[in-house]
Amino acid sequence: MKFTEEHEWLRVEGDDVVVGITAHAAEQLGDIVFVELPEVGTEVTKDEEVCVIESVKAASDILAPIDGEITEVNDALVDEPGKVNDDPIGDAWFFKIKAADAGQMDDYMDEAAYNKFIG
Amino acid sequence: MADLGALLQTPLAELHAALGAKMVPFAGYAMPVQYPLGVMKEHLHCRAAAGLFDVSHMGQVILRGANIDVVAQAFETLVPMDVLGLAVGKQRYGLFTNEDGGIEDDLMFANRGDHLFVVVNAACKEADIARMKSVLEPAVSVEVIEDRALIALQGPAAEAALARLNPAVADMVFMDVADVELAGATCWVSRSGYTGEDGYEISVPSESAEALSRALLDMDEVEPIGLGARDSLRLEAGLCLYGNDIDVSTNPIEAGLIWAIQKVRRAGGDREGGFPGASHVLGAMAEGVARKRVGLLPQGRAPMRAGTQIFASREGGEAIGEVTSGGFGPSVNGPVAMGYVGTSYATIDTELYGEVRGKRMPLKVAKMPLVPANFKR
């Protein structure tokens, strides 16, 4: 698993990269009450806003961590946004991207580096 | 992270730390925004059982004069409320207005026999105190209470919890005030609050605030609740937050606070007018207003927060209103909001649109409160 400085995690699953937010991010955001997912088939570029999540406090964007095409979204989060707090690195993934350039993954932190990053 | 060290602290600062509160700057104070339970569960707990809030940042003021009528008469020059007619042992909601009929602050005032006890918002308290001093003194003294904390116990189990410390509180009804001995301290208790739930606000000597709070928190039904849930509770209850929903540019009639202006102060009443901006307020009452504060229920799941522009149609046209408070309502289990719309759009069930991230999403004008109030009248 890889981690971005925006507190996203990335997990390779076959041809796809699964994207979610870290437990640290979920805790900082507080109770998640709304998730707006991208559409399957959308072409995204790295650092583009693709997803909106709202906690009781505020709205936040999730950025595309890599270039590619959205191949699947986790519709279950629309009805149960609270899953993001309950199981952020398990069931509560947000979307899958078919990577245009898998090499972009190399820039991101591993778990040890991320844990150090959030200190 | 904001520098919390530069902020004022309430007498309950150590308790908040012990309880694991997340502290934020609010109106110059370090205040608990949430505890480990989290905003959503805190909110639901308060509606189901009882929540304890530290509201010590608010201003507590005592007004004294030769007798209570002198004080009440003087106070009526500052607020459009019936103060002279307020019975001993009762509390009332009030507003400080300005010469333009705008709202300088909202407040609670109580007739405690030989004086008025006034509670004002933290962010406005310096201005409020200055206003009261300049208008009321020397006939009425303005005594700022610095040595007492203010806590609120709110929710359907509040009575049972507080009555364990002193059964006398069970005999109080909505807006009653009384001196009550609680955990060894003489407290000034009112049966009121700002959550839409039954409950009490308790002014307690600072040195006794932690012991009283701990005595309540030791009870199964009581959990500490932060400002985050206080905001969603009052929003569902349709209650205005000063600075968001009402401010110096809001006429009380636009704000839907006509109920707070008793007949005796209205046109044709025995003590008509006589408060700042009376012509504007009474004029608005007679002639109507161009915009009104309404409850709003976004029809999707996306919260519509303060500043969201409201439109009459899905495409085109100018904004006809704006959200002034909005977020997620845990008891409604969906987004809730309030705001101002043109009067012709203010009818319950009118379908409008709020623009969120460039997209217009449907919302409905809704009856307030958005969650039924639970006061013990």
Side-chain angles (χ1 to χ4, degrees), chain B residues 218-272:
Chain B
D218 280 344
M219 300 178 192
D220 284 346
E221 57 267 73
V222 182
E223 289 287 343
I225 314 289
L227 291 180
R230 186 170 171 84
D231 191 50
S232 52
L233 287 159
R234 69 92 199 162
L235 173 55
E236 284 182 342
L239 300 168
C240 293
L241 175 64
Y242 191 80
N244 275 43
D245 309 302
I246 48 175
D247 60 29
V248 292
S249 69
T250 323
N251 187 296
I253 309 308
E254 296 174 322
L257 298 174
I258 194 165
W259 59 267
I261 304 172
Q262 287 76 29
K263 285 213 167 63
V264 71
R265 306 300 307 277
R266 299 185 188 180
D270 281 351
R271 297 191 308 283
E272 169 183 340

Side-chain angles (χ1 to χ4, degrees), chain B residues 2 5 63 66-67 69 90 102-103 147 162 178 186 205 218 236 245 249 251 253 281-282 284 293 308 335 377:
Chain B
L63 306 178
N67 59 57
D69 282 357
K90 293 301 279 189
I103 302 171
D147 57 355
L162 199 61
T186 301
D218 280 344
E236 284 182 342
D245 309 302
S249 69
N251 187 296
I253 309 308
V281 175
L282 299 183
R293 182 174 65 95
T308 301
R377 305 243 181 219

Side-chain angles (χ1 to χ4, degrees), chain B residues 45 56 110 143 162 181 185 220 231 235 320:
Chain B
H45 182 89
S56 303
E143 182 192 347
L162 199 61
E181 202 74 10
D220 284 346
D231 191 50
L235 173 55
I320 55 94

Side-chain angles (χ1 to χ4, degrees), chain A residues 18 26 33 41 43 52 56 61 73 95 99-100:
Chain A
V18 188
V33 296
E43 295 282 344
V52 177
V56 287
D61 294 314
V73 296
F95 51 84

Side-chain angles (χ1 to χ4, degrees), chain B residues 326-342:
Chain B
F328 184 81
S331 305
V332 172
N333 191 26
V336 289
M338 70 168 81
Y340 287 84
V341 296

Side-chain angles (χ1 to χ4, degrees), chain B:
Chain B
M1 188 75 183
D3 179 11
L4 292 167
L7 297 165
L8 297 167
Q9 295 201 325
T10 78
L12 293 172
E14 281 178 28
L15 178 62
H16 297 317
L19 292 170
K22 184 175 173 195
M23 305 298 284
V24 297
F26 186 82
Y29 285 79
M31 295 300 291
V33 66
Q34 66 176 81
Y35 296 88
L37 202 55
V39 175
M40 188 109 75
K41 289 192 181 114
E42 288 172 29
H43 177 118
L44 294 171
H45 182 89
C46 185
R47 290 251 187 268
L52 184 72
F53 303 74
D54 180 10
V55 288
S56 303
H57 57 311
M58 296 206 289
Q60 304 182 57
V61 179
I62 281 180
L63 306 178
R64 270 181 222 278
N67 59 57
I68 189 71
D69 282 357
V70 167
V71 179
Q73 207 143 24
F75 200 56
E76 284 196 358
T77 66
L78 283 171
V79 301
M81 282 71 222
D82 176 8
V83 188
L84 272 164
L86 182 65
V88 175
K90 293 301 279 189
Q91 181 175 248
R92 186 162 271 169
Y93 176 75
L95 304 165
F96 287 129
T97 48
N98 61 32
E99 291 304 326
D100 299 322
I103 302 171
E104 293 284 324
D105 197 7
D106 63 349
L107 58 126
M108 300 297 291
F109 62 97
N111 178 344
R112 293 179 30 89
D114 64 345
H115 66 271
L116 284 183
F117 176 57
V118 183
V119 177
V120 299
N121 281 306
C124 305
K125 71 180 169 188
E126 296 305 323
D128 290 340
I129 290 161
R131 174 182 302 104
M132 288 189 279
K133 286 191 167 175
S134 76
V135 174
L136 303 177
E137 288 184 341
V140 171
S141 68
V142 178
E143 182 192 347
V144 182
I145 307 298
E146 307 273 19
D147 57 355
R148 299 180 83 93
L150 193 67
I151 60 176
L153 184 69
Q154 301 279 293
E159 180 188 288
L162 199 61
R164 244 174 251 141
L165 301 182
N166 190 328
V169 299
D171 296 331
M172 299 171 73
V173 297
F174 190 54
M175 292 295 198
D176 277 356
V177 296
D179 281 1
V180 181
E181 202 74 10
L182 295 170
T186 301
C187 297
W188 308 339
V189 177
S190 70
R191 191 146 195 175
S192 65
Y194 219 61
T195 59
E197 295 299 323
D198 180 28
Y200 302 86
E201 290 202 346
I202 305 163
S203 173
V204 50
S206 296
E207 66 275 12
S208 304
E210 185 169 335
L212 173 58
S213 299
R214 284 190 184 275
L216 291 166
L217 291 168
D218 280 344
M219 300 178 192
D220 284 346
E221 57 267 73
V222 182
E223 289 287 343
I225 314 289
L227 291 180
R230 186 170 171 84
D231 191 50
S232 52
L233 287 159
R234 69 92 199 162
L235 173 55
E236 284 182 342
L239 300 168
C240 293
L241 175 64
Y242 191 80
N244 275 43
D245 309 302
I246 48 175
D247 60 29
V248 292
S249 69
T250 323
N251 187 296
I253 309 308
E254 296 174 322
L257 298 174
I258 194 165
W259 59 267
I261 304 172
Q262 287 76 29
K263 285 213 167 63
V264 71
R265 306 300 307 277
R266 299 185 188 180
D270 281 351
R271 297 191 308 283
E272 169 183 340
F275 54 88
S279 63
H280 295 278
V281 175
L282 299 183
M285 216 180 279
E287 291 149 31
V289 287
R291 59 173 191 156
K292 277 189 176 163
R293 182 174 65 95
V294 293
L296 300 165
L297 285 177
Q299 298 297 291
R301 291 194 66 95
M304 294 188 189
R305 300 185 190 272
T308 301
Q309 297 292 299
I310 300 172
F311 295 85
S313 56
R314 197 178 277 279
E315 278 170 24
E318 297 287 310
I320 55 94
E322 187 180 321
V323 172
T324 50
S325 285
F328 184 81
S331 305
V332 172
N333 191 26
V336 289
M338 70 168 81
Y340 287 84
V341 296
T343 301
S344 59
Y345 302 102
T347 313
I348 308 290
D349 287 339
T350 302
E351 293 185 29
L352 301 169
Y353 297 87
E355 194 165 286
V356 180
R357 293 180 282 276
K359 273 184 283 185
R360 292 196 192 170
M361 324 272 266
L363 62 81
K364 255 189 188 174
V365 175
K367 190 166 168 286
M368 284 199 287
L370 302 168
V371 166
N374 196 18
F375 305 130
K376 191 186 167 191
R377 305 243 181 219

